[in-house]
Amino acid sequence: MPKEFRRDVFQAIADPTRRAILGMIALQAMTPNALAEHFDTSRQAVSKHIKILTECQLIRQESSGREIYYHFNAKRMREVDQWLEQFKKLWEDRFNQLDQVLHNLKPNDYED
């Protein structure tokens, strides 16, 4: 199995720092140094997060001269979203059924 598929994408996005990185890169491509400036941690720690996101194919790198820019991989996120959609529909259906049950329950009229 190729290395980039070994990481669990859901473990990757479970980390708040990685979610923040994804959010920033979704707005614009950024270098590791530019990303590191936004966190109160070492550049090495940020690089580790970037590596995990890259291995999950949530971001991709592109060289421009001496700089490496990281770009958001919207296609990969759509795949994650599509997988989650089946569960969203399941829970929405269940909540709708519960709403219907609650709607059909009538308050008991208590007579003294």
Side-chain angles (χ1 to χ4, degrees):
M1 181 179 266
K3 186 177 182 179
E4 63 267 9
F5 295 112
R6 285 190 201 150
R7 293 255 184 217
D8 179 11
V9 69
F10 294 101
Q11 284 182 336
I13 61 178
D15 184 275
T17 301
R18 289 192 284 271
R19 287 194 309 268
I21 290 170
L22 283 172
M24 287 186 279
I25 292 176
L27 297 174
Q28 69 178 27
M30 297 180 77
T31 65
N33 286 333
L35 284 165
E37 290 175 5
H38 294 274
F39 298 95
D40 189 23
T41 186
S42 70
R43 187 188 175 298
Q44 287 179 327
V46 172
S47 290
K48 184 176 179 182
H49 289 299
I50 290 170
K51 179 181 179 202
I52 291 168
L53 292 170
T54 303
E55 288 175 357
C56 292
Q57 297 179 329
L58 292 169
I59 62 176
R60 60 182 169 75
Q61 73 178 34
E62 193 174 290
S63 296
S64 178
R66 291 182 168 187
E67 294 286 349
I68 295 174
Y69 286 86
Y70 287 91
H71 299 263
F72 185 73
N73 184 356
K75 181 181 177 191
R76 180 70 168 136
M77 275 308 257
R78 274 192 299 277
E79 292 171 5
V80 171
D81 182 54
Q82 288 169 351
W83 188 83
L84 289 171
E85 189 63 32
Q86 63 188 326
F87 299 102
K88 181 180 175 186
K89 173 135 180 54
L90 174 75
W91 282 105
E92 284 178 351
D93 289 347
R94 288 186 181 182
F95 283 129
N96 288 338
Q97 290 171 359
L98 179 59
D99 283 344
Q100 191 61 44
V101 167
L102 293 174
H103 179 73
N104 290 336
L105 289 175
K106 294 190 166 98
N108 292 332
D109 292 331
Y110 293 103
E111 295 183 27
D112 293 321

